[in-house]
Amino acid sequence: GTPTTNNGTVNVGPGSTWLVQGGSFTNSGRLGLQVAGATSFGNFNLTVGSKFNAGGTLAPTLVSGYQPAKGTEFPIVTENGGSPSGKFGSVSGGFSADYSKETAASSPYLGMVYGGAAATPTVRPSVKKLAGGAGRLVLKLSCAKSAKSSCSYTVVGKVGKTKVASGHGTLKPGKSVTLTIKLNKAGKALLKKRHRLRVKVLVTAGGKTLKSATVSVTKAGKKK
């Protein structure tokens, strides 16, 4: 439950997992992940509320004679309730970072690819509506018919530094969806105390901001 910052060198051996449990790991130095096989490599696991802040140098090394095929991808940060952010300043060892899977609808992760960049670029939806409501956020998103793959998105709402709502998913080409995202536990507690919240909402896809706005969220009215 505490923050850790790597300002020097951290090496994670093949098959080893650095568990971030309710805290954060920020990389500002050299992060050496050792790779001995397709399922044997140093990695991070983020539990609920945990953060992995990418930066510095990602420096994977191949060990034990292992030689992956070009394009082999390794999920180095798995998201089991937590979330990664930022980008590495550089990646060495013949690898590249893949940030496109961080907002996948199922089993999201931050990956690294051997022998080249990830082949599929992020396809981004358009934001048709972004508003507040009674204890919730309301959004309408559309994915263009001409899109070559599904559009991914991430939504985060904050009051100050407190995250009060979040959501993510994908849309098939040609599809639109109206999302209702309810406040989380922290958001409900703030709303109960203040009765009205000014929530800064950020809609992103593949590290790019699609829409940013501050909306008003109110308490639900009593049923008659």
Side-chain angles (χ1 to χ4, degrees):
T2 58
T4 297
T5 299
N6 171 30
N7 288 317
T9 298
V10 165
N11 293 315
V12 185
S16 299
T17 297
W18 185 302
L19 180 63
V20 185
Q21 200 165 17
S24 64
F25 182 94
T26 300
N27 191 63
S28 298
R30 180 184 182 277
L31 180 57
L33 302 182
Q34 298 177 351
V35 183
T39 59
S40 180
F41 52 90
N43 63 91
F44 286 75
N45 181 9
L46 307 181
T47 64
V48 175
S50 301
K51 303 292 182 182
F52 180 94
N53 303 311
T57 299
L58 175 61
T61 55
L62 300 175
V63 298
S64 302
Y66 175 61
Q67 185 63 49
K70 184 177 180 180
T72 301
E73 181 159 9
F74 304 87
I76 58 174
V77 181
T78 54
E79 303 171 40
N80 292 303
S83 59
S85 64
K87 294 186 177 182
F88 296 105
S90 61
V91 184
S92 62
F95 286 83
S96 62
D98 176 16
Y99 307 98
S100 67
K101 310 301 192 308
E102 293 179 350
T103 57
S106 61
S107 304
Y109 65 88
L110 165 59
M112 66 180 187
V113 181
Y114 181 72
T120 305
T122 300
V123 181
R124 299 176 176 89
S126 58
V127 184
K128 302 295 185 181
K129 178 181 179 180
L130 174 55
R136 66 189 187 276
L137 307 175
V138 180
L139 301 93
K140 184 175 181 179
L141 305 174
S142 295
C143 187
K145 289 183 179 180
S146 58
K148 295 182 179 180
S149 62
S150 296
C151 298
S152 62
Y153 63 87
T154 297
V155 182
V156 175
K158 290 185 176 181
V159 175
K161 294 183 179 181
T162 302
K163 183 188 290 188
V164 297
S166 62
H168 61 81
T170 57
L171 278 175
K172 292 183 178 180
K175 298 294 184 180
S176 297
V177 65
T178 299
L179 301 174
T180 298
I181 303 177
K182 295 182 179 180
L183 296 184
N184 59 22
K185 185 177 180 180
K188 290 177 181 178
L190 278 176
L191 185 59
K192 183 177 181 180
K193 180 179 179 181
R194 302 182 185 181
H195 305 292
R196 180 184 294 269
L197 299 178
R198 296 288 288 169
V199 182
K200 184 175 181 180
V201 185
L202 191 65
V203 186
T204 62
K208 181 179 179 180
T209 297
L210 303 180
K211 184 79 172 180
S212 177
T214 299
V215 302
S216 180
V217 177
T218 61
K219 294 182 69 174
K222 293 183 179 179
K223 294 183 179 180
K224 295 182 179 180

